[in-house]
Amino acid sequence: MRKLTAVLTVLLCMLFSTIFSHAAAGNPNVVLVNPAAGSIVYSSNLLISVKLTQPTTIKVSVFEEKQAASGTAGAVSVNTAATSGALNSVITNPIPVTTPAIFISNNNLTFYTKQVNGLKPGLYKIQIDTLDTEQKVIYTNSSHVAIKEKAEEADAKIFDDSQSGTMQFLQTLLKTIFGE
């Protein structure tokens, strides 16, 4: 009976004990302001902006996510991955785009900004590591952003002869004012 009581006590202690793992959660005092998480950018440049609400040291890294295709790692097709809902299953090792930047804040409210130029269409991961005094990572915040080529917009053909109604009137008016 004593053995059973001891085993039950140990099991109950293990069941109701609290185990903390702070490395899995992000730092609530470090917020990626721009670009928004999961957003799509139609430019080859990213402006990264991080808000810090306490004195801390961060390391900001930008990675290009790759997917395995025919045995080689290639750019992630953002459209295919988003529609299939299997974005994380196609990702392989990310490749660093820039060297990580370390920023030290001594104020209660600070913004860190960095512009990354020359990016190609694909999926990018912005990772913000909070460092302790020994430069060890204690928190990691990360976010994905997709970069797409700007879609070719159809030119508005104001002076096209196939228009009718109000546009035809405006076309005629503009032609009489400015000439052809």
Side-chain angles (χ1 to χ4, degrees), residues 4-24:
L4 181 62
T5 305
V7 169
L8 284 174
T9 304
V10 170
L11 285 174
L12 287 174
C13 287
M14 288 174 56
L15 248 165
F16 293 109
S17 68
T18 57
I19 299 173
F20 295 101
S21 175
H22 66 277

Side-chain angles (χ1 to χ4, degrees), residues 157-158 160-174:
K157 298 181 181 178
I158 295 175
D160 190 10
D161 291 337
S162 64
Q163 298 171 354
S164 61
T166 307
M167 287 304 291
Q168 184 68 32
F169 171 74
L170 289 174
Q171 175 184 344
T172 308
L173 181 64
L174 289 173

Side-chain angles (χ1 to χ4, degrees), residues 27-141:
N27 187 347
N29 298 309
V30 176
V31 178
L32 180 65
V33 177
N34 188 48
S39 64
I40 298 174
V41 176
Y42 294 95
S43 173
S44 62
N45 305 322
L46 273 182
L47 179 62
I48 299 170
S49 181
V50 180
K51 180 173 82 170
L52 308 169
T53 57
Q54 74 175 17
T56 189
T57 302
I58 61 169
K59 178 174 74 171
V60 179
S61 307
V62 179
F63 300 96
E64 182 180 8
E65 300 283 12
K66 296 290 188 176
Q67 68 181 3
S70 304
T72 60
V76 174
S77 172
V78 179
N79 292 334
T80 306
T83 55
S84 68
L87 191 58
N88 293 328
S89 65
V90 298
I91 304 295
T92 61
N93 293 332
I95 296 174
V97 174
T98 62
T99 56
I102 295 180
F103 178 74
I104 300 170
S105 169
N106 295 318
N107 299 322
N108 285 329
L109 180 61
T110 308
F111 287 89
Y112 167 79
T113 57
K114 177 181 181 175
Q115 184 168 353
V116 181
N117 298 319
L119 300 176
K120 297 177 182 170
L123 184 68
Y124 291 85
K125 177 181 176 183
I126 301 168
Q127 181 173 316
I128 306 162
D129 296 322
T130 304
L131 307 175
D132 64 6
T133 56
E134 298 172 358
Q135 302 296 309
K136 292 182 182 176
V137 176
I138 53 175
Y139 295 107
T140 298
N141 296 39

